[in-house]
Each structure stands twice: as C-alpha cells, then as structure tokens.
Amino acid sequence: MPKTGENIYKRKDGRWEGRYPKERIDGRIRYGAVYAKTYRDVKRKLEEAKKALESREEPKTKSGRVKDVGEQWLLEASMSLKESSRNKYEDILSRYLLPELGEMDLSEISNQQIGNFVGRLIADGGARKQGLSAATVAEILSVLNGIRVYALRRDYPVSFSLECIRLKREQTEIRVFSFGEEEALVSYLLEHMDLSSLGILLCLFTGIRIGELCAMKWDDISLPEKQMYVNKTMQRMRAAKPGGSRTEIKIQEPKSPCSIRTIPLPGILLNLLKKFHRPGTFLLTGEDQRFIESRTMQNHFKRVLSSCGISDANFHATRHTFATRCIELGFDVKSLSEILGHANVAITMNRYVHPSMALKAESMERFSSLFAVK
C-alpha cells in the first residue's frame, strides 16, 4: 500500500519504488519511476526527480490556450492528488472545459463568455442535455479557477475572473430515518440476519460510509478491544488500462487522513459480530477474494427498505441517522466528529446533525422551568 499521497510502494522483490507524473501524451498521464533499497532513499530520489521535472526550461513561446495550460496544471496537481481526484479533474477537463474553451487563449476569454458558458451548463449541460446541478457547475468552475491561478503564477495573460459568478444552490432535503422507521429496520435485519444485514446494522450504529463497509475485512475488527479500524475504502474508478472494461473496483486509503480512524463498538453489535467472525475475509461476504461493491449494496439496501415498508432512501441515510441519534443521546460533538471521520466539528453540525421535532420540543420546554406564568 502506498504512503498517503506519495505514490511510494514496496515491491515484491524487496525494493522500494516511487512513481511520479512525467509527461502527458494524447491526454493521458505517463509516469516515471525511481527505485531504492530503502523508503528514505526512494523518497529522496523521488523528490529529486520531481525537482528536475519542475526545473525544465519552459518553451520560449508559451501557448496560452486553455487546453495546453490545463494539461500543465493537471500534470503538476497530479503529484499530490489521489487517483480518484485526478480522474475527476481529467473528466471535468475532457467533458466540459476543453470542448467549449480548449482552443481559446486565456487572454481572449472575457467574464461575459464565462457567464454564458455557465448558463449553458445549467440549461442543457450533461450527456443527455438535462442541465447540470449547481454543485456540479461549481466543481467545473473550481477546476477552471485552478487553471487560471496556475496560469497567473507563470505569467500567462488572463483576462477573466470567476468572482462575478454566483450560483444559486438549492437546499436538498437530507433523509433521516424516524425512530419508528429505524426500529422497524433494525427488527427486520435481526429477523433476517446474514452478513449483509450485519453490514447495514454496523452502519446504523457506527456511521461508517458504504465504501468503507464494502472494503472492510474481519481483520479490521478487534473483538477483544471492542474496536473497529477504518483505514480503507472501495470505489469504482476509471480503468488504468485501455481496451478492457472502462471502470474497475479499487480498494485504497481514504482521500482524507481524517477518515482513517478507530471506532469503539457498542455492545449491541459485539454478540452479532462474534457469531459471524471469519478472520482474513471481507466482512460482507465471509470470503477472502470475493467482495460486494457499493452499487450492489445500495440496491440490496433499497430492497430491504421496501420489505420493511419504509419509504425510499439512499444508503447514506444510515450515516445521517447515526449522527442525528448521537446528538439526541447527548454525544460530545467533538467525539462524534472524530467517529464520523470529519476534518472539523463544523462539518458534523452543518451536514449530518438533524435534530428531531421531539428533541426541539424538549429543548423548548426548558423555558417552562425558568418563569412562572399563570
């Protein structure tokens, strides 16, 4: 497994290998490699290779096209990006930015043109011309701004700014199971107990993400210590080798170091975990080579909800529900934030905590003890 963000691996022959983005050919990044007997030496060689790459003499005539500068920006950014982030930026470039702006020079693009571009994305962007959400457009503009800042640092003339763009984001309703719904769901899972049901219960009572669940092995659970170690996630990503399937499943470290965490296990789960414990295997299958991917688990979860008579919800509702129950039970918010794997408490409070009406009423009722009103 690579050191986080470094692209350094230990090979089967005992040597260490460090890989770095070297060039971009036909839209694809080509990598260079350095080797050494120790991690320290390969890290030093990797840093030297990157510095040598950065110090190459720039061409005397710079091209200020979005296509050229965008590829240079992505090549540099790739040195510190996780593969999933790099793939996302490549997709944004190839799907949205390059077809519309790729041949234009950064010095020729006006604020009005950027505004018109954003309007088209919202109105009829996307493969089916259905229009893109404000969140997706914001990601596209974030990449464009990264290219813009990169260009300015290297003295390319740039004529536009993104400060004039204002996107109206619609507030999406967050699905949280009511106590009655959660009670019905738990009862159903206990009556139909298997490894998939155990996985759903684990998410309801720990708040882990679906990708973390699918990647989890029984070796990540310590029953004597009553703890669970979350240190990897499963994602379907674009395949590295062309010619075969366009995507492939990858299990790797989470993008954020905060997502690597240790979670204490509640007693309600321990007896169930003991019954199914199968060291060396994936938690959801009980096999060492076969796993269940997120999309399959999502579909299974929806069938379970239908069987329980619970209205439709995505698997992520288990995480929202866990966070909400924790607040209702009086959890320390800092502890909850670390259990969820968030970078700070504000993310926990703003995104995942949804007090129920009963809790709001209970809080409001405390006014009654302050004043005597006849």
Side-chain angles (χ1 to χ4, degrees):
M1 184 173 289
K3 297 283 184 178
T4 303
E6 292 182 329
N7 245 0
I8 297 177
Y9 305 79
K10 190 167 186 180
R11 296 161 52 95
K12 291 183 179 179
D13 61 9
R15 293 186 300 163
W16 287 84
E17 175 183 349
R19 301 177 72 234
Y20 63 98
K22 189 175 182 179
E23 57 186 344
R24 191 177 180 89
I25 300 177
D26 296 330
R28 286 191 169 275
I29 296 174
R30 301 292 175 89
Y31 288 83
V34 294
Y35 305 90
K37 291 182 178 180
T38 66
Y39 166 75
R40 180 177 295 179
D41 287 344
V42 82
K43 185 174 182 180
R44 175 180 54 78
K45 287 186 176 182
L46 190 61
E47 290 173 350
E48 290 173 354
K50 290 178 179 179
K51 288 180 181 178
L53 187 66
E54 292 172 357
S55 63
R56 283 182 182 175
E57 184 179 356
E58 292 186 342
K60 293 180 180 179
T61 304
K62 289 185 179 180
S63 170
R65 291 188 309 170
V66 173
K67 179 178 186 292
D68 299 321
V69 180
E71 289 182 351
Q72 294 169 25
W73 165 78
L74 184 60
L75 186 63
E76 180 184 274
S78 296
M79 294 181 181
S80 57
L81 288 175
K82 282 282 188 178
E83 185 177 2
S84 57
S85 297
R86 184 175 69 244
N87 287 347
K88 182 174 74 171
Y89 293 159
E90 286 179 342
D91 288 342
I92 287 175
L93 273 171
S94 62
R95 290 183 184 180
Y96 305 114
L97 291 176
L98 298 189
E100 182 85 14
L101 307 173
E103 298 302 321
M104 298 182 67
D105 195 283
L106 288 160
S107 64
E108 298 173 347
I109 301 174
S110 66
N111 289 343
Q112 182 63 47
Q113 287 172 306
I114 295 296
N116 294 339
F117 172 55
V118 169
R120 287 192 294 273
L121 290 174
I122 293 174
D124 55 14
R128 298 188 300 274
K129 305 295 183 182
Q130 77 282 9
L132 300 177
S133 68
T136 300
V137 174
E139 289 186 337
I140 295 170
L141 291 178
S142 177
V143 171
L144 181 58
N145 193 55
I147 296 171
R148 172 183 168 274
V149 172
Y150 176 91
L152 290 171
R153 289 206 313 266
R154 283 154 182 77
D155 298 325
Y156 288 97
V158 179
S159 300
F160 67 90
S161 171
L162 299 178
E163 295 177 357
C164 58
I165 304 298
R166 294 288 182 269
L167 294 173
K168 183 179 180 181
R169 298 201 184 193
E170 295 182 1
Q171 193 72 23
T172 56
E173 185 177 349
I174 303 297
R175 180 77 161 93
V176 176
F177 296 125
S178 67
F179 185 80
E181 288 176 324
E182 188 174 11
E183 190 174 41
L185 178 56
V186 171
S187 297
Y188 178 89
L189 294 171
L190 292 174
E191 291 174 5
H192 300 81
M193 182 52 58
D194 57 13
L195 290 173
S196 294
S197 294
L198 180 62
I200 297 173
L201 284 172
L202 193 66
C203 292
L204 279 171
F205 293 118
T206 64
I208 62 174
R209 304 172 178 93
I210 188 170
E212 295 167 342
L213 171 67
C214 292
M216 185 162 292
K217 289 193 169 183
W218 282 100
D219 293 343
D220 299 319
I221 295 176
S222 173
L223 294 176
E225 296 178 333
K226 303 179 181 179
Q227 292 178 344
M228 176 173 66
Y229 309 107
V230 181
N231 51 33
K232 51 190 175 295
T233 188
M234 180 184 293
Q235 287 179 289
R236 178 170 286 281
M237 302 170 64
R238 187 170 65 238
K241 296 180 180 180
S245 174
R246 295 201 305 174
T247 61
E248 60 184 350
I249 293 293
K250 291 198 175 183
I251 298 175
Q252 54 191 9
E253 288 184 354
K255 286 192 295 184
S256 169
C258 302
S259 293
I260 300 174
R261 59 203 189 275
T262 300
I263 301 177
L265 293 169
I268 191 173
L269 290 176
L270 288 173
N271 289 335
L272 293 172
L273 291 169
K274 289 175 183 177
K275 292 179 182 178
F276 288 94
H277 191 238
R278 301 173 190 177
T281 67
F282 283 97
L283 185 141
L284 288 178
T285 64
E287 299 179 25
D288 60 350
Q289 296 297 322
R290 187 175 68 88
F291 53 77
I292 294 177
E293 67 166 298
S294 301
R295 184 167 50 189
T296 302
M297 194 63 192
Q298 177 80 262
N299 293 335
H300 172 72
F301 179 69
K302 288 178 175 290
R303 288 193 295 270
V304 168
L305 292 183
S306 178
S307 299
C308 296
I310 298 174
S311 58
D312 187 51
N314 289 326
F315 197 97
H316 207 68
T318 60
R319 185 167 165 87
H320 290 297
T321 301
F322 168 77
T324 301
R325 293 289 173 268
C326 287
I327 292 298
E328 292 172 351
L329 291 170
F331 264 54
D332 168 63
V333 178
K334 177 63 176 174
S335 297
L336 174 58
S337 181
E338 292 182 0
I339 288 172
L340 291 171
H342 288 157
N344 56 64
V345 173
I347 296 174
T348 308
M349 296 301 296
N350 294 334
R351 189 180 302 171
Y352 288 97
V353 178
H354 318 283
S356 66
M357 183 57 69
L359 182 61
K360 293 175 184 176
E362 180 183 339
S363 299
M364 293 296 288
E365 189 61 27
R366 294 173 187 169
F367 274 102
S368 299
S369 62
L370 291 178
F371 305 102
V373 180
K374 295 183 180 180

